[in-house]
Amino acid sequence: MSTHCTSTTEEQRIATGEAHGKAILFGEHAVVYGAPALALPLPELTCRATVRPVTGPGSGGSRLRMVAPGAHGTPRETAGDVPEELALLLLAFAERAGLKTPPALEIHLDSRIPPSRGLGSSAANARALVRALDALCGTGLAEQEAFDLVQVAERSAHSRASGIDALATGSERPVLLADGRARTPSVGAGFHVVVADSGSGGSTREAVGMLRDAFARDPDLRTRFIHRSTGFARAALDDLAAGRLPSLGRRLTDCHRMLAGLGLTTDGTDALARTALDAGALGAKMSGGGLGGCVVALATSAAHAESVSTALAGRTGARTWTAAVPEGAGHDGR
Ligand code: PMV
């Protein structure tokens, strides 16, 4: 299929795409080895891509202007060449769209997702850009094609990317990735989560590499980890479907301990998890790659989430966000 990405009509020369942050409830790291993982969208943490073709002589390659939270959450603007992971995405998109070369674009990414906090910032950037490109070129990408393009960027950024971030940053509902398939799990009783930022970033690539090395030294450790993580995820899905929130919360806390045992938590995330429990959360755990980043805590209602969030912010100074997960039937696909 051949597609034209430039147009003489001014309105058609700009397109936007959106995505959002995510938090992993169960299964981080184990999902890289094929175990199930469950993630939630964080709609408050938006990411918007705007693309505009640059035409004419000397237009050169694409340029990126990015606004994203810097230290202490204040927006920070950077501008420059497109980073490698997004350049690869543009190349793959051009191939899919039947273009001889990637379009030269001015790309603007406006993200509220703090980077390197396990909240899916890189996948959301890629997802928002794919949607903007799709809108600009009228490619009509199927969901699987959009996912594959996001994964081009994710694999470049993180080496082994399971796909859970690529899925959850584009989904309105919780996402279960299991047996290579994405599904919407059944939620028997709505609940809320509080996400708190330890204030220090963790490198997903480094965390994944650390476990890979540990598993190479001790293959039994890998087997035990995958077994335990799968157990947590499967039991959590049952709790979720049955609306057993206290049990779901206990599993979160147990899962935090397991991940701490692998060296993935820090003093900061351990302290946040403890404080969330002291503040009355039903459970709390680190979320995402670890070695810093965020903690996710479980609450029953908006008021409960607000009180946990206020206590966490007040006692630790952490930035917090909340998200509601409404009751809903599960189904295949998303
Ligand atoms: O990008 P993060 O920090 O949310 O980590 C993603 C979860 C991992 O399981 C650590 C990696 C992956 O690709 O699934």
Side-chain angles (χ1 to χ4, degrees):
M1 170 181 164
S2 171
T3 312
H4 298 283
C5 284
T6 53
S7 158
T8 46
T9 316
E10 200 54 38
E11 304 92 289
Q12 290 175 329
R13 291 172 64 85
I14 287 186
T16 60
E18 284 175 7
H20 49 250
K22 65 93 208 14
I24 296 180
L25 264 197
F26 291 95
E28 53 270 273
H29 287 288
V31 67
V32 171
Y33 300 90
L38 179 63
L40 307 175
L42 298 176
E44 200 186 313
L45 293 178
T46 53
C47 177
R48 166 183 276 244
T50 308
V51 293
R52 193 174 75 85
V54 197
T55 49
S59 56
S62 293
R63 303 268 302 161
L64 173 68
R65 188 161 64 84
M66 168 113 198
V67 179
H72 316 298
T74 36
R76 204 168 74 86
E77 181 166 335
T78 50
D81 291 338
V82 172
E84 191 182 351
E85 66 273 15
L86 297 184
L88 290 170
L89 188 164
L90 289 174
L91 205 60
F93 176 80
E95 202 171 300
R96 161 63 183 84
L99 304 169
K100 285 199 198 77
T101 54
L105 300 168
E106 250 176 51
I107 302 170
H108 178 198
L109 281 170
D110 191 356
S111 176
R112 292 192 177 177
I113 310 170
S116 308
R117 299 295 202 271
L119 298 180
S121 63
S122 60
N125 288 341
R127 167 73 69 175
L129 179 57
V130 166
R131 285 183 167 160
L133 291 168
D134 191 27
L136 183 77
C137 300
T139 344
L141 293 176
E143 174 48 37
Q144 181 64 42
E145 292 177 305
F147 170 83
D148 290 343
L149 288 169
V150 177
Q151 280 293 83
V152 168
E154 281 291 273
R155 274 194 291 270
S156 160
H158 300 315
S159 62
R160 294 183 74 160
S162 65
I164 187 72
D165 285 15
L167 290 164
T169 53
S171 174
E172 309 281 295
R173 299 276 303 149
V175 179
L176 169 70
L177 177 59
D179 307 319
R181 277 193 312 135
R183 269 171 283 164
T184 301
S186 163
V187 179
F191 61 94
H192 287 67
V193 290
V194 180
V195 174
D197 183 0
S198 71
S200 79
S203 156
T204 302
R205 182 183 273 274
E206 188 188 326
V208 169
M210 184 182 100
L211 286 199
R212 189 185 50 232
D213 294 348
F215 295 158
R217 288 192 299 274
D218 181 356
D220 282 355
L221 178 66
R222 171 182 146 152
T223 309
R224 285 198 304 275
F225 169 58
I226 293 171
H227 182 74
R228 282 197 73 196
S229 183
T230 302
F232 279 132
R234 297 257 174 247
L237 285 169
D238 290 344
D239 287 341
L240 201 61
R244 290 189 296 258
L245 297 182
S247 171
L248 184 68
R250 282 193 296 275
R251 291 190 209 287
L252 272 184
T253 307
D254 288 347
C255 191
H256 179 85
R257 288 198 195 101
M258 172 184 70
L259 297 168
L262 288 168
L264 290 166
T265 65
T266 59
D267 289 350
T269 50
D270 286 339
L272 282 176
R274 260 196 319 272
T275 309
L277 294 174
D278 289 349
L282 297 181
K285 71 176 264 291
M286 62 150 269
S287 181
L291 302 179
C294 289
V295 158
V296 59
L298 187 70
T300 49
S301 63
H304 186 199
E306 197 49 47
S307 105
V308 171
S309 164
T310 306
L312 272 170
R315 292 181 209 169
T316 67
R319 270 185 302 157
T320 60
W321 303 271
T322 58
V325 181
E327 187 184 318
H331 53 82
D332 271 1
R334 287 169 306 122

